[in-house]
Amino acid sequence: MRTIHSRKRTAALGAAVTAVLALALTACGGDGGGTKSAGPADNAAKSAASAGASQQSGSGSDDSSDTATTGGSAEKVTSSTGTSKSGAAKAGTTTGGNTSDSYAYKHPCKSEDLSVRVYAREGSATQQVIEVNNTGANACGLSYFPQVSLGSESAQDHSGDVTPLVPSGLGGAPAYPVEPKTAAIAVIDLNPSGADGALTWINELNVLADGDHMPNAEQLNFPLGPDVKVLDPKLGLYSGSIADAVSSMKQADSKS
C-alpha cells in the first residue's frame, strides 16, 4: 500500500508541475514588446515542487534539548509540589498588565503571584530544576537566585542544613525580571562530583523564591525522596532556560 500511495503523490506532483510549466510557456509566448519573463512561473513551479516534497517527507522536529518556555518547562517530568509551613497562598490567576523590565526592577515578586515547582532534570541523576512561574498580572523582579537549603524533613533544628555554592561576582540589573506567564529557572546539582562520602540524611529541598525581599515564613519545602545523596551542592542563577541555568550552576564557587 505504501508504494501505491507514493506513486499517487508523485503523479499528482508531476501534474502540478506540468500545469505550471504550461502557464510559463504561455507567458513566454510574447507580450507585444519583445520581452519575455518566466520569473513568476518559475517561482510557482518551485512552490509546487516544494509542496509535493513536503507531502512526501512530512514535518517534525527533535525537541529533546533542555528548554523552558513561557508558562514552564518543555521537559516531560513529574514535578514535586512544595508546601509552606505558613499556609500562605502560592499561586495567582490573573493575566495581562505591565510587562516591562523597568517595571519589574521596581516591583519585587509577591509569593501570591508565583507558582513554584521542583523536579529532577531529565538525563541527570543529581540535578534538580527549580521553576518559578509568574502567575500575576504584571512583570516582577526576583533576586538573582532562589534562597535554597537542604535538610531533613523530620529535623527540629535546621541550623545544620546544607546550603549550596552560588556564582560569585554578581552585579548589573537590580533584579531578575519575570514577565507574566513566564518561568524563571534555576538548577541545583546535589552532588556535582559524584564522589563518595555524600550525605544520605537529606530528604528535603527548601526554596524561597526571593531571598532578598520575602520573609523566611514564605519558604516552600519539597521532598527529594529516600535515595538522595548530597555532597558540595551547586546552585546557578535564575535563567530563561534549563540549559542556561545548568551553565550558570557550573560556575558556582562561593557561599551565598
Side-chain angles (χ1 to χ4, degrees), residues 11-199:
L13 174 60
V17 175
T18 300
V20 172
L21 291 178
L23 289 174
L25 291 174
T26 300
C28 293
D31 56 7
T35 60
K36 300 178 181 180
S37 174
D42 181 59
N43 291 339
K46 290 179 179 178
S47 297
S50 175
S54 177
Q55 289 178 356
Q56 292 182 28
S57 63
S59 62
S61 62
D62 181 5
D63 191 22
S64 60
S65 59
D66 287 337
T67 58
T69 57
T70 300
S73 168
E75 293 195 42
K76 297 179 180 179
V77 295
T78 300
S79 63
S80 173
T81 302
T83 58
S84 171
K85 291 183 172 63
S86 67
K90 296 303 173 185
T93 57
T94 56
T95 58
N98 196 315
T99 61
S100 68
D101 286 357
S102 58
Y103 183 89
Y105 295 150
K106 299 176 182 178
H107 296 82
C109 295
K110 299 178 181 179
S111 60
E112 59 264 29
D113 291 329
L114 300 177
S115 175
V116 183
R117 68 189 189 114
V118 170
Y119 51 87
R121 181 190 168 211
E122 188 175 1
S124 173
T126 61
Q127 295 176 10
Q128 297 282 325
V129 178
I130 301 170
E131 181 182 295
V132 180
N133 287 276
N134 180 2
T135 62
N138 302 301
C140 61
L142 291 170
S143 50
Y144 286 162
F145 52 86
Q147 180 176 299
V148 173
S149 64
L150 297 148
S152 172
E153 181 182 7
S154 60
Q156 298 297 317
D157 179 9
H158 288 275
S159 61
D161 284 4
V162 176
T163 57
L165 295 177
V166 296
S168 60
L170 304 181
Y176 181 84
V178 191
E179 294 183 8
K181 291 187 176 181
T182 302
I185 303 293
V187 169
I188 182 171
D189 196 326
L190 304 178
N191 188 1
S193 66
D196 295 333
L199 304 174

